[in-house]
Amino acid sequence: MTAIVVRELTKNFQTKRKAAGLGASLRALYRPEYHTVEAVRGISFQMEAGELLGFIGPNGAGKSTTIKILTGILYPTSGQVSVLGYTPWTQRRQLAYHIGTVFGQRPQLWYHLPAIDTFSLFGKIYELDDREVKKRIQFLAEAFEIRDLLETPVRKLSLGQRMRCEIAASLLHRPSLLLLDEPSIGLDVVAKQQIRDTIRQMNEVEKVGVLLTSHDAGDLEALCKRVIIINHGQIVYEDKVSTLKRRHLTTKDVGVRYAAEIAPDFKIPGAETIKVGKYGAKLRFDTRQTPVETILSRLAAAGAVADITISDPSLEDVIATIYQQATPQQSEVGEN
Amino acid sequence: MIRRQIPFLLALWKANLQAAMEYRGAFLAQVLGMMLNNAVYFVFWILFFDRFKQVNGWNLNDMLLLFGIAAGSFGLGVFLFGNLMFLGDIIAKGRLDYYLSLPRPVLLHALASRSITSGLGDFTYGMISFMLAGQFGADTMARFFLGLISATAVFVGFMVLVQSLAFWLGNSSALAQLALNAIVTFALYPISLFDNTAKFLLFTLVPAAFMGAIPAGFVRSFSWSALAQLTLAAIVFLGLAVWTFRRGLRRYESGSAIQIET
């Protein structure tokens, strides 16, 4: 079953343009100049029910605009959207009963109240039975490991704890689709991992579909099977995360340390030198041109190796490369 | 439709009260402080009427009724729908997104999501003022109740109307502050002090007459004309407020009304 269908979605904003200075400000008062910002430019994609889909892109790429259209907060300039069979901007309230939303930078829990009070309020907002709400809170408290946090006023929770409560709150009414906008923003490594674990768990246990936007390639790697990369309002990449890695992770990084000092102009044929130190160096090479074993034997030939590490570049680097390569005219869209 | 919103509204008000109770000391200080503030202000009128007894047909007892209605309706409005003080800011900063993502009427949800604690002080003061006027007949109390509801509706409607201009102006907080001061200040004076032009303004542009003099007069003595005016004013101002807010919301949903994050 398909949860989201988006066809040729476009969203333009009219914004006032004003040059610098007082004169320009006065002119803008009686004759404002408008210009159009194309935030989303004809994107199309689908998401299956129960899928974990990553929706990533740099700031201003059009992610938040797309999410806001999917929830019915904004209506589009043109295009068709169906979310769980509803047209979001005309059936916003009906749709709201079936989706959960978390905007990482816009808390929904009441700041001065313990989370459990907001949970009860949400029960009323979604017209749930009181007993049902109690049972559901118990379940979510276990799943998200927030039992001890529920009675503490939200202002006293850490960001990570608060975010776990936020996501739990968005699942209170058993939505079949969860839209998460930057859920891991500002979190430390441990808190990020906890958030990822719980999202994955809810996806497995309750089959809730998750559309996740993030800056953090780690979220994507840990959670999503499929990814859509958006830049300048257009889809520049759409494929499985594994394909993304296979296709774009063709280089490897090598860190090597020698028992004795090395020359300042240390070089290995077939590899690019990134950094040279007194005893070691960092290199990068393309495995399609130079096999790993060749590099290893050349490194060994250069001196007595004390330590060596080989790693993939981070997915962040890979995505940055795709952003750079993909201008709006040269989109790369996969088979999915 | 409205009945469906009642449990939801009660839950919101309960949450507001719980949030206020998180700071019990501050809660009490604000409620009592506001009552004291109003009482000190009223001392002026006690001294005034001690000397003049009557001004254009108004006496101290009428002023007690007027303060009962004006302080009561202001208090009720800001205590139950506290975000009427901040709606423009909520609109301008794009914070309506939250209310739009939940399945409840956006304006009602936004307004009732905050409570201004000192409003309870104003409300209580209004009730005390009414009691001091010493009119305890069942019919007077019923008229006071009706007048209070109508005045609250006009006050809330007027503030929503002004705050909703943020959809077009981007920032309406200074204007809203001005409108608030105007309606509250003029509601607290005997209407017979004003000339016809000023009276016209107090029935239309700044409907202070419906938040003070007209309902207070209705409490003093029943008239069909006053009842019709109160009902009509409540309907017109609430209606205008909802209409303007909805028009603005369409602009908001277009994304062009405010600075938007893409």
Side-chain angles (χ1 to χ4, degrees), chain A residues 11 75 92 112 124 127, chain B residues 4 23 100 104 253-254:
Chain A
K11 181 67 194 175
Y75 60 81
R92 180 177 61 75
H112 294 295
K124 294 286 183 224
E127 297 174 275
Chain B
R4 218 174 136 189
Y23 306 92
L100 281 162
R104 290 293 177 165
E253 289 167 323
S254 79

Side-chain angles (χ1 to χ4, degrees), chain A residues 7 47 80 114 133 139 156 161 180 184 189 234 238 255 297 301 318 322:
Chain A
R7 292 268 166 269
M47 178 180 158
Q80 290 165 354
V133 170
F139 169 77
K156 292 183 181 161
Q161 291 171 331
L180 302 175
S184 62
V189 182
Q234 290 192 316
E238 180 181 354
S297 59
V318 173
I322 295 173

